[in-house]
Amino acid sequence: MLADLLERGELSVAIYGLGYVGLALSAAWARAGAKVIGVDVDVERIAALSNGVVEYVEDDVRRVVADAIKSGRMEVTTEGDVASIKSRVKIITVPVYLAATRPSIEVDFSAITSAAKAIAQGLKREDLVIVESSVPPGTTEEVVRPVLEESGLTAEDDFYLAYSPERVMVGHALKDIEENYPKVVAGVGPRSAEEAAALYRKIARKGVIKLSSVKAAEFEKLLEGVYRDLNIALANEMASLANALGISFAEARAAANSQPYSHVHKPGTGVGGSCIPVYPYFLLWTAERLGVELPLTALGRAENEAQPFRVAEAAIKAMIREGVNPAEAKIAVLGLAFRGDVDDTRRSPTYDLLQGLLDFGIRPANVVVHDPYVRRDRVVEKLGIRLTADLKEALDGASLALIATDHSAYRVKASELAKLMARPVIVDARGVVEADAPIYSIDGGRWPIGRRSVQPEPRRGRC
């Protein structure tokens, strides 16, 4: 089996896609003793990695990948066909995109199809191909398999084909792979499933969960995400009611979650990243083709897409309530990444939050965005808004501090933020600021907005 080659240090693993997931997987397989070949279409990224420059938020991933490249245990390339020839295991981590969600949902399989074509050109008997990308159910067998079989080889008979969804969170992705969760695995046949499972047992200390079909494994991954999307929508709705009642949602939530069957999530500015906002659409796209309706899934997504605009409205109302003219005030939006202590801005709700402020007539020149991890952002630049990593600079002269991301840097006393501002109005949309001075908090019982507010149509793009 291929796992035996890994034990002897003779296994070559090609990783297709060197983003957040791909680099973490590269580190995991390198630590397991495999020779790793990283493949990516981004020429600049490959050039940087070739020179040992690994840009990643996790120290362990940076260190392991840099050491593997330096020692020759890992190489990187843009030539996916060559990588396929040189490897026995090929792992696909490239994204499947949402091309559109209105007026109808369109899924873009071009990246995963391109990776499969490159693999097919170097595919050999007894090789193993594993799809780890999050995909609509049926993708591995209906999109990837036909492309691979253009090689003249047949899945399960000549080569192995499996699906194993990535289950990582950037910030502790390598630990997620190696320690935190069992690995879900399924194959197009029993031989494929066992080859993949035997390999993953070598790196996943929590073991392997082997499902009966690839489609079930693809569905499982999306189920994880849509559960969280709906839960966050519920949290936002209940936080709105708690604020209307004048009580702390955070206090009530903590008490509710002391019951083992309650897992209420936190409210916030919306839902970001390349996962949770996308998975419901994959399921809706699939359901539409089967003639199945998913009204709750669609409603949860709509609610979370409207949330950044509600937060923008709340900020405007808070300023007016405190006697500040929003049209003339400096506004500091704290946090561009979609969640705390990472540099990942993909589909961040902060983008819609910024657009919401502009929709209310706020001039871009009056807005500054602060993020300690993000140095440059094309979307913010296009809006004409300044981005800085200096918190004091962002707050200097500001009348509003709007906390949009739960970075550790914002887990401070409200009074510490206020003393850096001109006429301080603090709107905490993530519930992270310690309220030792008056603030508006989404989960603390003081929030200047009703549930049924005007909701501009969210602007949607690719993942």
Side-chain angles (χ1 to χ4, degrees):
M1 296 186 73
L2 293 169
D4 297 330
L5 294 179
L6 180 65
E7 284 287 325
R8 298 197 298 266
E10 299 172 4
L11 184 68
S12 292
V13 177
I15 309 289
Y16 289 77
L18 296 178
Y20 290 102
V21 174
L23 282 175
L25 274 172
S26 297
W29 286 108
R31 287 220 286 208
K35 169 67 185 279
V36 178
I37 307 171
V39 183
D40 202 283
V41 297
D42 189 328
V43 176
E44 292 183 2
R45 177 176 295 171
I46 292 299
L49 288 168
S50 297
N51 291 319
V53 179
V54 184
E55 295 184 359
Y56 204 88
V57 71
E58 297 173 30
D59 291 337
D60 50 1
V61 172
R62 287 200 305 271
R63 183 178 63 255
V64 172
V65 171
D67 289 349
I69 291 173
K70 184 178 180 180
S71 67
R73 292 293 298 171
M74 179 175 175
E75 61 181 281
V76 293
T77 181
T78 59
E79 298 179 338
D81 51 351
V82 175
S84 182
I85 293 169
K86 296 169 68 174
S87 62
R88 294 297 309 278
V89 177
K90 305 90 162 60
I91 301 177
I92 300 174
T93 69
V94 301
V96 170
Y97 292 108
L98 277 178
T101 58
R102 299 291 185 276
S104 61
I105 303 168
E106 296 180 20
V107 180
D108 180 359
F109 294 101
S110 59
I112 199 168
T113 300
S114 178
K117 286 180 178 178
I119 291 170
Q121 293 178 51
L123 194 60
K124 305 173 294 297
R125 293 182 183 278
E126 306 299 320
D127 280 358
L128 169 63
V129 181
I130 306 171
V131 178
E132 287 224 8
S133 310
S134 299
V135 297
T139 299
T140 301
E141 293 175 292
E142 297 166 18
V143 177
V144 176
R145 180 174 183 167
V147 175
L148 295 175
E149 291 185 340
E150 289 176 4
S151 64
L153 302 177
T154 303
E156 186 68 4
D157 294 333
D158 301 315
F159 69 93
Y160 309 116
L161 177 58
Y163 181 79
S164 181
E166 56 86 4
R167 307 180 83 191
V168 305
M169 182 176 287
V170 178
H172 44 76
L174 184 54
K175 193 170 184 179
D176 288 343
I177 294 169
E178 295 179 335
E179 300 178 28
N180 289 345
Y181 313 122
K183 203 74 172 76
V184 174
V185 173
V188 297
R191 296 170 66 214
S192 295
E194 187 49 40
E195 284 286 347
L199 272 177
Y200 280 123
R201 289 186 190 110
K202 300 294 183 182
I203 63 169
R205 296 174 194 171
K206 286 291 181 70
V208 168
I209 298 174
K210 194 158 56 169
L211 298 192
S212 60
S213 72
V214 164
K215 194 174 292 186
E218 293 168 330
F219 178 78
E220 177 279 326
K221 172 60 178 176
L222 305 184
L223 187 60
E224 293 179 24
V226 76
Y227 161 77
R228 295 176 65 194
D229 197 44
L230 287 168
N231 201 318
I232 293 168
L234 174 66
N236 287 331
E237 188 167 274
M238 290 297 102
S240 187
L241 177 58
N243 278 298
L245 290 168
I247 61 176
S248 168
F249 178 76
E251 181 183 40
R253 172 182 174 271
N257 286 352
S258 68
Q259 212 272 8
Y261 301 110
S262 179
H263 306 283
V264 180
H265 286 13
K266 294 181 179 179
T269 47
V271 180
S274 63
C275 300
I276 299 177
V278 177
Y279 298 169
Y281 284 118
F282 284 173
L283 291 171
L284 288 164
W285 181 83
T286 302
E288 183 179 347
R289 278 149 184 75
L290 296 172
V292 176
E293 293 186 355
L294 303 178
L296 185 58
T297 300
L299 179 60
R301 187 84 297 270
E303 287 290 300
N304 284 333
E305 287 178 351
Q307 184 69 3
F309 297 98
R310 295 194 188 102
V311 172
E313 183 179 355
I316 297 296
K317 287 185 175 180
M319 296 172 73
I320 294 172
R321 181 178 293 182
E322 298 297 331
V324 175
N325 183 352
E328 301 298 327
K330 177 184 177 182
I331 295 174
V333 175
L334 307 187
L336 182 58
F338 80 89
R339 66 177 178 82
D341 299 336
V342 300
D343 62 351
D344 193 347
T345 62
R346 291 174 295 176
R347 299 182 78 89
S348 173
T350 300
Y351 293 130
D352 281 341
L353 172 58
L354 293 172
Q355 187 60 59
L357 292 173
L358 300 184
D359 289 345
F360 275 103
I362 304 300
R363 291 176 295 172
N366 288 2
V367 182
V368 60
V369 176
H370 171 267
D371 197 291
Y373 297 93
V374 183
R375 294 294 179 264
R376 186 175 180 183
D377 186 86
R378 285 178 290 183
V379 176
V380 173
E381 289 177 359
K382 189 174 181 179
L383 291 174
I385 294 172
R386 189 163 57 89
L387 173 65
T388 180
D390 187 328
L391 184 58
K392 289 184 179 179
E393 177 189 344
L395 294 175
D396 183 34
S399 295
L400 172 69
L402 173 50
I403 293 85
T405 306
D406 55 341
H407 287 313
S408 297
Y410 309 145
R411 296 184 183 279
V412 297
K413 294 180 178 179
S415 58
E416 294 179 15
L417 295 177
K419 68 184 180 183
L420 299 173
M421 301 168 64
R423 186 174 179 180
V425 178
I426 299 172
V427 174
D428 182 8
R430 295 305 295 265
V432 295
V433 176
E434 183 181 338
D436 69 332
I439 67 170
Y440 293 90
S441 178
I442 195 170
D443 63 3
R446 192 165 182 243
W447 192 252
I449 190 170
R451 185 64 189 162
R452 298 303 169 192
S453 57
V454 176
Q455 301 163 14
E457 176 68 14
R459 287 157 173 77
R460 303 176 178 87
R462 294 163 70 90
C463 297

